[in-house]
Amino acid sequence: SQQGEEDPQALSIQEGENATMNCSYKTSINNLQWYRQNSGRGLVHLILIRSNEREKHSGRLRVTLDTSKKSSSLLITASRAADTASYFCATDGPRAQKLVFGQGTRLTINP
Amino acid sequence: NAGVTQTPKFRVLKTGQSMTLLCAQDMNHEYMYWYRQDPGMGLRLIHYSVGEGTTAKGEVPDGYNVSRLKKQNFLLGLESAAPSQTSVYFCASSYGWGQRYEQYFGPGTRLTVT
């Protein structure tokens, strides 16, 4: 059963602009993770946010978590061509423990 | 450290043939996973292992078998390949179990079954 769902499915912006992707989930969570996948590569972990955290930063990345709305957002500021990739959120319910990945947002940064 | 490696990178099989995908990790991780990735479907867990000598079914285990004879290796087998198994296969590993631990992914194996 799918837990996290990303929105939008695809996003295209100009280099230097900010990119925002959203993830919604169905059941309560303990943690939520974001991953990046460059074309033809494996996934790379970006950031983990715990259910008792509301915001977390890592370089140009900012992740927010709203447990009341069961949603998270990933903001990439000052985007670069190298940020072109698919971005996935991963989470699960309180008992299942295994990570479940959404379908991803495909981000394209245009020079 | 090489991290997580997968062999082969590409493979074409005919329906009914068998093959084994090899995953190796050098991070001494207890937990290992096999996923498949299909367009529009995200990543789906096939099988996983919580330690040497143990395996368990994931979300889509039918048609696949796995073995974890050594801690650093996790093998995924297809006994009789079907076109529906055309996909990109990713292996991953993690230090701990569950959502608290990040997973480290290999580069993937692109499998085509004709």
Side-chain angles (χ1 to χ4, degrees):
Chain A
S1 60
Q2 190 165 319
Q3 168 74 319
E5 293 186 10
E6 291 90 346
D7 172 66
Q9 289 188 338
L11 179 61
S12 181
I13 62 173
Q14 295 299 120
E15 193 167 17
E17 294 180 340
N18 296 341
T20 300
M21 289 155 274
N22 303 297
C23 170
S24 59
Y25 55 91
K26 297 185 177 70
T27 63
S28 61
I29 60 169
N30 294 312
N31 305 277
L32 184 144
Q33 301 184 31
W34 284 93
Y35 287 78
R36 182 189 74 230
Q37 183 181 32
N38 291 93
S39 181
R41 301 288 188 91
L43 278 71
V44 174
H45 182 263
L46 294 176
I47 202 163
L48 181 152
I49 187 165
R50 304 187 193 286
S51 59
N52 61 354
E53 296 176 310
R54 291 296 168 258
E55 189 170 307
K56 205 161 182 181
H57 295 255
S58 177
R60 293 183 296 111
L61 305 181
R62 172 179 166 241
V63 169
T64 61
L65 180 64
D66 187 336
T67 53
S68 66
K69 295 182 179 178
K70 292 188 172 57
S71 68
S72 173
S73 67
L74 170 66
L75 168 67
I76 303 174
T77 60
S79 63
R80 306 167 181 168
D83 295 327
T84 294
S86 292
Y87 292 82
F88 296 85
C89 67
T91 186
D92 206 342
R95 287 183 296 277
Q97 298 293 320
K98 294 187 292 293
L99 280 182
V100 177
F101 291 83
Q103 297 182 17
T105 291
R106 189 171 62 255
L107 174 64
T108 302
I109 308 299
N110 302 304
Chain B
N1 289 348
V4 180
T5 58
Q6 293 182 233
T7 53
K9 288 186 170 53
F10 303 94
R11 185 72 186 268
V12 178
L13 286 180
K14 293 193 168 133
T15 297
Q17 288 185 319
S18 63
M19 77 163 295
T20 300
L21 283 67
L22 172 63
C23 175
Q25 53 94 5
D26 62 1
M27 296 172 282
N28 202 35
H29 285 169
E30 287 291 337
Y31 305 90
M32 297 187 75
Y33 317 83
W34 275 107
Y35 294 91
R36 60 178 289 173
Q37 185 177 35
D38 303 290
M41 299 291 289
L43 274 86
R44 292 182 291 171
L45 183 64
I46 304 171
H47 286 281
Y48 62 97
S49 169
V50 300
E52 182 179 317
T54 72
T55 63
K57 294 180 180 180
E59 183 185 357
V60 287
D62 294 342
Y64 305 96
N65 56 75
V66 288
S67 64
R68 183 104 181 264
L69 298 180
K70 293 183 179 180
K71 186 177 184 178
Q72 63 268 35
N73 296 337
F74 196 27
L75 279 62
L76 178 70
L78 286 74
E79 291 185 346
S80 180
S84 61
Q85 294 178 303
T86 293
S87 187
V88 181
Y89 292 86
F90 288 99
C91 176
S93 70
S94 64
Y95 174 75
W97 175 245
Q99 305 170 47
R100 292 184 297 159
Y101 299 93
E102 66 177 278
Q103 293 187 12
Y104 294 80
F105 282 79
T109 295
R110 186 173 294 275
L111 174 66
T112 302
V113 183
T114 61

